[in-house]
Amino acid sequence: MTGTPLDPRALRDAFGCFMTGVTVVTALGPDGKPLGFTANSFSSVSLDPPLLLVSIANSSINRAAFESAPGFAVNILAEGQKDVSATFARPVEDRFATVYWRKGPVGSPLIAGVSAWFDCTLEQAVAAGDHTILIGRIGGFEATPAPGLGYYRGAYVTPAQTAAQLPTGPDVVISAILEAGGQILLMDDGQGGLTLPTARVGREGVQTALAQLIAATGLTAAPGSIYAVYEDVAQGRQHIAFRCAAETGRPACGAFVDLTSEGVAEVTDPAMRVMLERLADEARIGNYGIYFGTHEQGRVQRTGER
């Protein structure tokens, strides 16, 4: 007996309510070259024997290599390794070109600077829907004092860094809506979805943080006007989104997509996706407004409205 089909987007959003760590799973391919992918589907399984598991999408080009490899390693990323997460989450010719790594005691690649690592032999590969579960027997591990990188509802979580940078007041997060020729720049969020270029504001202030965020994309764009300001009370965050006109070019990361509801459908964060759908509607008629409220409800103030 089957029920009503589940909405995949709603299901993904629901899964995103569970706060996880961020890992990079590594192995050596048949040619001896290192392979790796970003994953938050990591869990301990057993202390005796020492087992853990991760899952890899069946659509991954590396699935067969991981299933046939003698083992794999799980690298739990530290708070300062969001760039490593992004590198291993997107299609890059050589994901290991920009990270220092070494072979672990069992033989799989270990990435430097991680919060912890586990080097395993492959105990079992289990088919599970559109993913394959890799169960590993731990042959070596190390934990460091470095705080781990978290992920929650489509955004990275760095509690230790945030506490050090903003000891009081709300956590301010900015997003850059970089527009060019009817398209906007979206980036891989590291969890199979998309996101705007986003940064947390520290002591440098909003304007400096926005300029640094734009520069990191490799595009030429002027910091633009505010498009949305909303609070996420539960997370203690203040979000500010800026519209920025960008010159057409090749971004250092991410890709331009059409500014349509279909183009932004893979944006993971629900509030951000709704904001971009509104922008797509407003762009068609040329009547823009600024949103004020929370991540759930608010009002749009049109240009010239008081």
Side-chain angles (χ1 to χ4, degrees):
M1 180 177 178
T2 60
T4 304
L6 298 177
D7 179 353
R9 166 55 60 185
L11 182 59
R12 175 182 286 176
D13 292 343
F15 281 150
C17 294
F18 181 65
M19 187 179 297
T20 69
V22 183
T23 74
V24 169
V25 186
T26 58
L28 293 178
D31 57 1
K33 293 183 178 180
L35 304 171
F37 63 94
T38 298
N40 66 344
S41 55
F42 161 75
S43 177
S44 60
V45 174
S46 170
L47 292 177
D48 185 16
L51 301 175
L52 56 74
L53 66 80
V54 293
S55 66
I56 182 171
N58 293 338
S59 59
S60 171
I61 60 174
N62 293 322
R63 179 181 61 84
F66 272 87
E67 284 188 305
S68 61
F72 62 89
V74 177
N75 298 267
I76 299 179
L77 299 187
E79 282 193 345
Q81 294 183 306
K82 287 188 286 186
D83 57 333
V84 177
S85 172
T87 295
F88 282 84
R90 61 176 183 256
V92 178
E93 185 174 349
D94 184 0
R95 290 172 169 170
F96 288 83
T98 58
V99 299
Y100 176 79
W101 65 277
R102 62 182 176 86
K103 285 187 178 180
V106 180
S108 295
L110 303 179
I111 297 173
V114 297
S115 181
W117 56 260
F118 303 88
D119 199 8
C120 311
T121 55
L122 180 62
E123 183 85 356
Q124 189 177 2
V126 181
D130 56 9
H131 279 64
T132 295
I133 298 172
L134 305 176
I135 300 176
R137 180 182 288 258
I138 303 167
F141 71 95
E142 181 182 11
T144 77
L149 179 63
Y151 201 79
Y152 176 66
R153 287 191 170 182
Y156 290 113
V157 180
T158 55
Q161 287 185 3
T162 300
Q165 294 175 357
L166 297 173
T168 60
D171 187 8
V172 179
V173 176
I174 58 171
S175 298
I177 307 173
L178 295 164
E179 302 175 70
Q183 296 184 313
I184 60 171
L185 179 68
L186 293 180
M187 304 172 61
D188 194 313
D189 68 0
Q191 306 298 316
L194 299 175
T195 184
L196 288 170
T198 302
R200 184 171 284 103
V201 178
R203 297 185 182 275
E204 75 279 7
V206 171
Q207 293 302 319
T208 299
L210 179 59
Q212 292 173 347
L213 180 61
I214 294 173
T217 68
L219 298 172
T220 299
S225 59
I226 293 176
Y227 183 66
V229 179
Y230 58 96
E231 297 179 2
D232 189 328
V233 178
Q235 297 187 49
R237 290 179 179 174
Q238 179 85 26
H239 295 255
I240 308 175
F242 294 85
R243 289 184 62 206
C244 307
E247 295 183 8
T248 303
R250 182 174 185 143
C253 51
F256 280 99
V257 303
D258 291 336
L259 181 55
T260 62
S261 296
E262 294 77 14
V264 302
E266 293 302 311
V267 172
T268 307
D269 181 74
M272 183 181 293
R273 186 170 64 253
V274 170
M275 176 184 69
L276 293 176
E277 289 172 346
R278 175 172 69 87
L279 178 59
D281 291 337
E282 293 178 342
R284 285 197 298 270
I285 60 177
N287 184 15
Y288 299 94
I290 303 174
Y291 175 85
F292 296 95
T294 71
H295 67 295
E296 295 178 328
Q297 61 183 359
R299 67 180 296 269
V300 176
Q301 180 173 313
R302 298 297 170 187
T303 303
E305 178 183 346
R306 296 184 183 277

